[in-house]
PDB file of all heavy atoms in Angstrom:
ATOM      1  N   TYR A  28     -10.975  -8.003  -2.285  1.00 87.00           N
ATOM      2  CA  TYR A  28     -10.375  -6.687  -2.514  1.00 87.00           C
ATOM      3  C   TYR A  28      -9.929  -6.084  -1.182  1.00 87.00           C
ATOM      4  O   TYR A  28      -9.040  -5.274  -1.128  1.00 87.00           O
ATOM      5  CB  TYR A  28     -11.398  -5.719  -3.115  1.00 87.00           C
ATOM      6  CG  TYR A  28     -11.775  -5.919  -4.550  1.00 87.00           C
ATOM      7  CD1 TYR A  28     -12.290  -7.120  -5.015  1.00 87.00           C
ATOM      8  CD2 TYR A  28     -11.659  -4.863  -5.454  1.00 87.00           C
ATOM      9  CE1 TYR A  28     -12.670  -7.266  -6.328  1.00 87.00           C
ATOM     10  CE2 TYR A  28     -12.037  -5.008  -6.774  1.00 87.00           C
ATOM     11  CZ  TYR A  28     -12.545  -6.210  -7.208  1.00 87.00           C
ATOM     12  OH  TYR A  28     -12.927  -6.351  -8.514  1.00 87.00           O
ATOM     13  N   HIS A  29     -10.649  -6.451  -0.140  1.00 89.00           N
ATOM     14  CA  HIS A  29     -10.438  -5.786   1.154  1.00 89.00           C
ATOM     15  C   HIS A  29     -10.436  -6.825   2.256  1.00 89.00           C
ATOM     16  O   HIS A  29     -11.118  -7.847   2.146  1.00 89.00           O
ATOM     17  CB  HIS A  29     -11.567  -4.780   1.412  1.00 89.00           C
ATOM     18  CG  HIS A  29     -11.793  -3.849   0.263  1.00 89.00           C
ATOM     19  ND1 HIS A  29     -12.746  -4.078  -0.693  1.00 89.00           N
ATOM     20  CD2 HIS A  29     -11.148  -2.736  -0.105  1.00 89.00           C
ATOM     21  CE1 HIS A  29     -12.690  -3.124  -1.601  1.00 89.00           C
ATOM     22  NE2 HIS A  29     -11.733  -2.295  -1.271  1.00 89.00           N
ATOM     23  N   CYS A  64      -4.304   0.524  -8.450  1.00 98.00           N
ATOM     24  CA  CYS A  64      -5.407  -0.360  -8.072  1.00 98.00           C
ATOM     25  C   CYS A  64      -6.336   0.362  -7.106  1.00 98.00           C
ATOM     26  O   CYS A  64      -6.565  -0.059  -5.971  1.00 98.00           O
ATOM     27  CB  CYS A  64      -4.910  -1.680  -7.491  1.00 98.00           C
ATOM     28  SG  CYS A  64      -3.994  -2.633  -8.705  1.00 98.00           S
ATOM     29  N   TYR A  65      -6.874   1.460  -7.588  1.00 98.00           N
ATOM     30  CA  TYR A  65      -7.751   2.341  -6.812  1.00 98.00           C
ATOM     31  C   TYR A  65      -9.011   1.614  -6.332  1.00 98.00           C
ATOM     32  O   TYR A  65      -9.495   1.875  -5.233  1.00 98.00           O
ATOM     33  CB  TYR A  65      -8.116   3.544  -7.689  1.00 98.00           C
ATOM     34  CG  TYR A  65      -9.121   4.494  -7.106  1.00 98.00           C
ATOM     35  CD1 TYR A  65      -8.705   5.636  -6.417  1.00 98.00           C
ATOM     36  CD2 TYR A  65     -10.503   4.284  -7.257  1.00 98.00           C
ATOM     37  CE1 TYR A  65      -9.639   6.529  -5.894  1.00 98.00           C
ATOM     38  CE2 TYR A  65     -11.432   5.163  -6.732  1.00 98.00           C
ATOM     39  CZ  TYR A  65     -10.993   6.292  -6.059  1.00 98.00           C
ATOM     40  OH  TYR A  65     -11.916   7.161  -5.545  1.00 98.00           O
ATOM     41  N   GLY A  66      -9.552   0.690  -7.140  1.00 96.00           N
ATOM     42  CA  GLY A  66     -10.762  -0.039  -6.730  1.00 96.00           C
ATOM     43  C   GLY A  66     -11.883   0.909  -6.372  1.00 96.00           C
ATOM     44  O   GLY A  66     -12.286   1.756  -7.189  1.00 96.00           O
ATOM     45  N   ILE A  67     -12.404   0.818  -5.141  1.00 96.00           N
ATOM     46  CA  ILE A  67     -13.425   1.769  -4.700  1.00 96.00           C
ATOM     47  C   ILE A  67     -12.805   2.838  -3.791  1.00 96.00           C
ATOM     48  O   ILE A  67     -13.503   3.493  -3.021  1.00 96.00           O
ATOM     49  CB  ILE A  67     -14.647   1.075  -4.052  1.00 96.00           C
ATOM     50  CG1 ILE A  67     -14.216  -0.059  -3.114  1.00 96.00           C
ATOM     51  CG2 ILE A  67     -15.581   0.553  -5.115  1.00 96.00           C
ATOM     52  CD1 ILE A  67     -15.383  -0.741  -2.396  1.00 96.00           C
ATOM     53  N   GLY A  68     -11.489   2.976  -3.885  1.00 97.00           N
ATOM     54  CA  GLY A  68     -10.843   4.191  -3.419  1.00 97.00           C
ATOM     55  C   GLY A  68     -10.492   4.323  -1.952  1.00 97.00           C
ATOM     56  O   GLY A  68     -10.220   5.428  -1.474  1.00 97.00           O
ATOM     57  N   TYR A  69     -10.433   3.217  -1.198  1.00 97.00           N
ATOM     58  CA  TYR A  69     -10.190   3.374   0.239  1.00 97.00           C
ATOM     59  C   TYR A  69      -8.856   4.039   0.556  1.00 97.00           C
ATOM     60  O   TYR A  69      -8.768   4.820   1.502  1.00 97.00           O
ATOM     61  CB  TYR A  69     -10.290   2.021   0.956  1.00 97.00           C
ATOM     62  CG  TYR A  69     -11.721   1.647   1.236  1.00 97.00           C
ATOM     63  CD1 TYR A  69     -12.381   0.721   0.445  1.00 97.00           C
ATOM     64  CD2 TYR A  69     -12.424   2.254   2.265  1.00 97.00           C
ATOM     65  CE1 TYR A  69     -13.717   0.398   0.688  1.00 97.00           C
ATOM     66  CE2 TYR A  69     -13.754   1.938   2.515  1.00 97.00           C
ATOM     67  CZ  TYR A  69     -14.388   1.013   1.731  1.00 97.00           C
ATOM     68  OH  TYR A  69     -15.707   0.711   1.978  1.00 97.00           O
ATOM     69  N   ASN A  70      -7.837   3.733  -0.202  1.00 97.00           N
ATOM     70  CA  ASN A  70      -6.519   4.291   0.146  1.00 97.00           C
ATOM     71  C   ASN A  70      -6.483   5.798  -0.124  1.00 97.00           C
ATOM     72  O   ASN A  70      -5.986   6.574   0.695  1.00 97.00           O
ATOM     73  CB  ASN A  70      -5.419   3.546  -0.610  1.00 97.00           C
ATOM     74  CG  ASN A  70      -5.433   2.065  -0.288  1.00 97.00           C
ATOM     75  OD1 ASN A  70      -5.862   1.688   0.810  1.00 97.00           O
ATOM     76  ND2 ASN A  70      -5.015   1.230  -1.217  1.00 97.00           N
ATOM     77  N   GLU A  93      -6.917   2.256 -12.315  1.00 97.00           N
ATOM     78  CA  GLU A  93      -7.845   1.150 -12.052  1.00 97.00           C
ATOM     79  C   GLU A  93      -8.470   0.756 -13.385  1.00 97.00           C
ATOM     80  O   GLU A  93      -9.040   1.599 -14.061  1.00 97.00           O
ATOM     81  CB  GLU A  93      -8.925   1.612 -11.064  1.00 97.00           C
ATOM     82  CG  GLU A  93     -10.107   0.694 -10.899  1.00 97.00           C
ATOM     83  CD  GLU A  93      -9.752  -0.721 -10.437  1.00 97.00           C
ATOM     84  OE1 GLU A  93      -9.144  -0.867  -9.369  1.00 97.00           O
ATOM     85  OE2 GLU A  93     -10.078  -1.677 -11.189  1.00 97.00           O
ATOM     86  N   TYR A  94      -8.363  -0.517 -13.755  1.00 94.00           N
ATOM     87  CA  TYR A  94      -8.912  -0.865 -15.068  1.00 94.00           C
ATOM     88  C   TYR A  94     -10.415  -1.064 -15.068  1.00 94.00           C
ATOM     89  O   TYR A  94     -11.009  -1.129 -16.114  1.00 94.00           O
ATOM     90  CB  TYR A  94      -8.157  -1.994 -15.761  1.00 94.00           C
ATOM     91  CG  TYR A  94      -8.064  -3.362 -15.095  1.00 94.00           C
ATOM     92  CD1 TYR A  94      -9.064  -3.905 -14.310  1.00 94.00           C
ATOM     93  CD2 TYR A  94      -6.922  -4.136 -15.317  1.00 94.00           C
ATOM     94  CE1 TYR A  94      -8.945  -5.163 -13.746  1.00 94.00           C
ATOM     95  CE2 TYR A  94      -6.795  -5.406 -14.761  1.00 94.00           C
ATOM     96  CZ  TYR A  94      -7.821  -5.904 -13.968  1.00 94.00           C
ATOM     97  OH  TYR A  94      -7.701  -7.147 -13.433  1.00 94.00           O
ATOM     98  N   LEU A  98     -15.899   0.741 -10.804  1.00 95.00           N
ATOM     99  CA  LEU A  98     -15.543   0.795  -9.381  1.00 95.00           C
ATOM    100  C   LEU A  98     -15.171   2.219  -8.976  1.00 95.00           C
ATOM    101  O   LEU A  98     -15.618   2.730  -7.945  1.00 95.00           O
ATOM    102  CB  LEU A  98     -14.367  -0.140  -9.088  1.00 95.00           C
ATOM    103  CG  LEU A  98     -14.628  -1.632  -9.262  1.00 95.00           C
ATOM    104  CD1 LEU A  98     -13.380  -2.429  -8.921  1.00 95.00           C
ATOM    105  CD2 LEU A  98     -15.787  -2.074  -8.366  1.00 95.00           C
ATOM    106  N   MET A 205      -7.336   1.996 -16.994  1.00 97.00           N
ATOM    107  CA  MET A 205      -6.599   1.068 -17.873  1.00 97.00           C
ATOM    108  C   MET A 205      -5.669   0.196 -17.034  1.00 97.00           C
ATOM    109  O   MET A 205      -5.499   0.422 -15.834  1.00 97.00           O
ATOM    110  CB  MET A 205      -5.788   1.856 -18.906  1.00 97.00           C
ATOM    111  CG  MET A 205      -4.753   2.769 -18.297  1.00 97.00           C
ATOM    112  SD  MET A 205      -3.866   3.738 -19.527  1.00 97.00           S
ATOM    113  CE  MET A 205      -5.040   5.041 -19.847  1.00 97.00           C
ATOM    114  N   ASP A 206      -5.061  -0.772 -17.696  1.00 98.00           N
ATOM    115  CA  ASP A 206      -4.068  -1.621 -17.062  1.00 98.00           C
ATOM    116  C   ASP A 206      -2.932  -0.729 -16.535  1.00 98.00           C
ATOM    117  O   ASP A 206      -2.437   0.148 -17.257  1.00 98.00           O
ATOM    118  CB  ASP A 206      -3.535  -2.617 -18.106  1.00 98.00           C
ATOM    119  CG  ASP A 206      -2.666  -3.694 -17.484  1.00 98.00           C
ATOM    120  OD1 ASP A 206      -1.805  -3.368 -16.649  1.00 98.00           O
ATOM    121  OD2 ASP A 206      -2.843  -4.863 -17.847  1.00 98.00           O
ATOM    122  N   ALA A 207      -2.549  -0.966 -15.293  1.00 98.00           N
ATOM    123  CA  ALA A 207      -1.522  -0.124 -14.673  1.00 98.00           C
ATOM    124  C   ALA A 207      -0.203  -0.172 -15.453  1.00 98.00           C
ATOM    125  O   ALA A 207       0.566   0.801 -15.454  1.00 98.00           O
ATOM    126  CB  ALA A 207      -1.295  -0.560 -13.236  1.00 98.00           C
ATOM    127  N   ASP A 224      -1.798  -1.667  -4.382  1.00 97.00           N
ATOM    128  CA  ASP A 224      -2.813  -2.493  -3.722  1.00 97.00           C
ATOM    129  C   ASP A 224      -3.403  -3.509  -4.708  1.00 97.00           C
ATOM    130  O   ASP A 224      -4.617  -3.640  -4.835  1.00 97.00           O
ATOM    131  CB  ASP A 224      -3.915  -1.571  -3.155  1.00 97.00           C
ATOM    132  CG  ASP A 224      -4.760  -2.249  -2.092  1.00 97.00           C
ATOM    133  OD1 ASP A 224      -4.436  -3.388  -1.704  1.00 97.00           O
ATOM    134  OD2 ASP A 224      -5.760  -1.640  -1.656  1.00 97.00           O
ATOM    135  N   PHE A 226      -4.123  -7.340  -6.438  1.00 93.00           N
ATOM    136  CA  PHE A 226      -4.519  -8.628  -5.877  1.00 93.00           C
ATOM    137  C   PHE A 226      -3.280  -9.419  -5.460  1.00 93.00           C
ATOM    138  O   PHE A 226      -2.173  -9.177  -5.957  1.00 93.00           O
ATOM    139  CB  PHE A 226      -5.317  -9.426  -6.911  1.00 93.00           C
ATOM    140  CG  PHE A 226      -6.708  -8.902  -7.152  1.00 93.00           C
ATOM    141  CD1 PHE A 226      -7.130  -8.545  -8.418  1.00 93.00           C
ATOM    142  CD2 PHE A 226      -7.604  -8.773  -6.090  1.00 93.00           C
ATOM    143  CE1 PHE A 226      -8.409  -8.065  -8.632  1.00 93.00           C
ATOM    144  CE2 PHE A 226      -8.891  -8.286  -6.297  1.00 93.00           C
ATOM    145  CZ  PHE A 226      -9.294  -7.931  -7.577  1.00 93.00           C
TER     146      PHE A 226
HETATM  147  C1  SAM B   1      -7.147  -5.557  -4.010  1.00 57.38           C
HETATM  148  S1  SAM B   1      -8.152  -4.598  -5.042  1.00 57.38           S
HETATM  149  C2  SAM B   1      -7.728  -2.954  -4.543  1.00 57.38           C
HETATM  150  C3  SAM B   1      -8.711  -2.331  -3.629  1.00 57.38           C
HETATM  151  C4  SAM B   1      -8.680  -0.826  -3.643  1.00 57.38           C
HETATM  152  N1  SAM B   1      -7.426  -0.236  -3.291  1.00 57.38           N
HETATM  153  C5  SAM B   1      -9.813  -0.230  -2.853  1.00 57.38           C
HETATM  154  O1  SAM B   1      -9.573   0.612  -1.986  1.00 57.38           O
HETATM  155  O2  SAM B   1     -10.964  -0.580  -3.127  1.00 57.38           O
HETATM  156  C6  SAM B   1      -7.291  -4.711  -6.572  1.00 57.38           C
HETATM  157  C7  SAM B   1      -7.833  -3.780  -7.648  1.00 57.38           C
HETATM  158  O3  SAM B   1      -6.907  -3.752  -8.717  1.00 57.38           O
HETATM  159  C8  SAM B   1      -7.579  -3.716  -9.961  1.00 57.38           C
HETATM  160  N2  SAM B   1      -6.581  -4.253 -10.891  1.00 57.38           N
HETATM  161  C9  SAM B   1      -6.063  -5.509 -10.895  1.00 57.38           C
HETATM  162  N3  SAM B   1      -5.121  -5.627 -11.844  1.00 57.38           N
HETATM  163  C10 SAM B   1      -5.010  -4.412 -12.430  1.00 57.38           C
HETATM  164  C11 SAM B   1      -4.201  -3.905 -13.483  1.00 57.38           C
HETATM  165  N4  SAM B   1      -3.311  -4.685 -14.113  1.00 57.38           N
HETATM  166  N5  SAM B   1      -4.324  -2.611 -13.824  1.00 57.38           N
HETATM  167  C12 SAM B   1      -5.229  -1.818 -13.188  1.00 57.38           C
HETATM  168  N6  SAM B   1      -6.049  -2.245 -12.198  1.00 57.38           N
HETATM  169  C13 SAM B   1      -5.933  -3.532 -11.829  1.00 57.38           C
HETATM  170  C14 SAM B   1      -8.824  -4.537  -9.719  1.00 57.38           C
HETATM  171  O4  SAM B   1      -9.865  -4.168 -10.589  1.00 57.38           O
HETATM  172  C15 SAM B   1      -9.153  -4.193  -8.273  1.00 57.38           C
HETATM  173  O5  SAM B   1     -10.027  -3.108  -8.205  1.00 57.38           O
END
Side-chain angles (χ1 to χ4, degrees):
Y28 287 57
H29 309 96
C64 296
Y65 174 95
I67 42 177
Y69 279 102
N70 301 332
E93 168 58 58
Y94 60 34
L98 294 181
M205 61 183 80
D206 190 315
D224 198 6
F226 287 124

